[in-house]
Amino acid sequence: MRVTWLPDAEKRPRRVAVGEFDGVHLGHRAVIADADTVLTFDPHPRAVVAPDAAPKLLTPLPVKTDIIAGLGVEELVVIPFDGAFSAQSPQAFIDDVLVAALGAAEVRVGENFRFGHRATGDAELLRRQDAFHTTVAQLVEVDGEIVSSTHIRGLVVAGEMEKAAEFLGLPFHLRGIVQHGDKRGRTLGYPTANLVPDNALCYPGNGIYACRAALEQDGAWRWWPAAVSIGVRPTFVTGRGVLIEAYLIGFDGDCYDQELRLEFLERIRGEKRFDSVDALVKQMHADVEYARTVAG
């Protein structure tokens, strides 16, 4: 899949799916279906027009790109969203971007899609255009609940990883560069690869999770089952903030400064303080064995 930033996209007849697509969930996939091009925005528009109300992202652009590529889309076109672009009228967006820059023959959006200055453009305005055909995808429901990025963020924060995966169409995914920690895990028999949460991103609430973890080896991503702790390590007084600590079951090596990818499958339990290190290690052993059965 090609990734192009406006204004560098070549004009050609396109079937364009338009949206922010944070999470690339089942509702987004209904919009993207049959499109050869996806048009999205970076950063998230609300981070520009209402930064205090900007959502924590489910999928930063690199993750979003990989998921969309897996849907068979030919090209991802990214609009660098800034204050000047946010002031553009809905009709100017249609004329300048969809028609003049992209040459859209079909435009696909969700029924709740809004665009242009103060979000005054909608699907009905797109339907009234003669330059292209507009297809509007209905909202998708799962078990009577509307699939939305907002709802999925709530599920992730609550640790409801199985439900989040049902709405997303795949497990919730995090990436980051492995950082040096207190190195306490190796003294307990469970050395961990540590990630520092990015405040701009949505991540699961404190607790212990069964995951799949990947590191790049010899040009390919290799996966291991993993037990992952998110929290402040209440058994110890560390003075550090929230940390994501992943014990890769069966991995032996150094992965500092490498990218670690995590797929969250199930919340095992909440974070708790143990009265002794021995009690903690006993529980860690049980957590690791359970994670092995879930993700192995």
Side-chain angles (χ1 to χ4, degrees):
M1 183 183 74
R2 297 186 305 277
V3 179
T4 308
W5 289 75
L6 277 184
D8 297 330
E10 175 190 358
K11 182 178 180 179
R12 59 177 175 81
R14 283 177 164 89
R15 302 187 307 279
V16 185
V18 188
E20 169 52 36
F21 300 128
D22 184 33
V24 199
H25 57 57
L26 296 183
H28 297 149
R29 294 170 188 231
V31 177
I32 293 171
D34 298 324
D36 56 37
T37 300
V38 168
L39 177 64
T40 193
F41 313 93
D42 190 73
H44 192 289
R46 265 188 280 169
V48 174
V49 301
D52 291 342
K56 304 284 189 180
L57 294 180
L58 293 164
T59 48
L61 186 59
V63 178
K64 184 193 299 187
T65 298
D66 286 350
I67 296 173
I68 291 173
L71 301 179
V73 173
E74 295 177 13
E75 185 175 21
L76 176 67
V77 178
V78 185
I79 292 175
F81 197 93
D82 57 17
F85 190 86
S86 72
Q88 191 176 51
S89 72
Q91 192 62 51
F93 172 75
I94 292 170
D95 296 339
D96 297 345
V97 176
L98 297 179
V99 178
L102 298 182
E106 179 186 1
V107 173
R108 301 180 58 87
V109 296
E111 63 178 275
N112 60 350
F113 178 65
R114 298 292 183 272
F115 63 99
H117 185 56
R118 298 189 181 277
T120 50
D122 58 14
E124 282 305 312
L125 177 59
L126 292 169
R127 281 192 174 110
R128 293 198 295 269
Q129 306 301 310
D130 295 326
F132 50 77
H133 172 71
T134 298
T135 299
V136 180
Q138 295 184 337
L139 299 177
V140 172
E141 294 187 9
V142 173
D143 297 331
E145 296 181 275
I146 293 175
V147 177
S148 72
S149 300
T150 299
H151 185 41
I152 294 169
R153 291 184 195 106
L155 293 172
V156 170
V157 170
E160 297 186 38
M161 309 317 301
E162 293 162 294
K163 189 70 172 179
E166 190 177 356
F167 280 30
L168 286 166
L170 76 175
F172 175 73
H173 183 108
L174 274 181
R175 297 180 186 178
I177 302 300
V178 177
Q179 307 289 322
H180 288 271
D182 297 324
K183 298 181 172 60
R184 184 175 288 109
R186 67 181 59 184
T187 69
L188 303 177
Y190 296 99
T192 58
N194 303 322
L195 304 180
V196 177
D198 183 338
N199 287 333
L201 304 183
C202 180
Y203 58 90
N206 291 6
I208 312 301
Y209 295 85
C211 295
R212 296 177 71 238
L215 294 167
E216 190 173 18
Q217 293 189 336
D218 300 323
W221 289 96
R222 182 181 173 190
W223 292 86
W224 289 266
V228 176
S229 169
I230 299 180
V232 296
R233 302 156 303 287
T235 302
F236 306 98
V237 179
T238 66
R240 297 169 66 100
V242 174
L243 202 62
I244 301 170
E245 301 174 285
Y247 173 67
L248 280 60
I249 302 170
F251 173 77
D252 183 20
D254 181 352
C255 58
Y256 291 121
D257 300 319
Q258 295 184 46
E259 182 178 79
L260 174 68
R261 299 183 176 185
L262 297 174
E263 290 185 347
F264 287 77
L265 305 179
E266 184 180 333
R267 188 174 192 260
I268 300 174
R269 62 175 176 87
E271 185 179 44
K272 62 176 291 187
R273 184 183 184 280
F274 291 86
D275 294 331
S276 69
V277 172
D278 287 344
L280 169 62
V281 171
K282 182 179 179 180
Q283 183 62 59
M284 290 171 68
H285 178 74
D287 295 338
V288 166
E289 290 308 307
Y290 186 79
R292 191 196 307 270
T293 65
V294 172

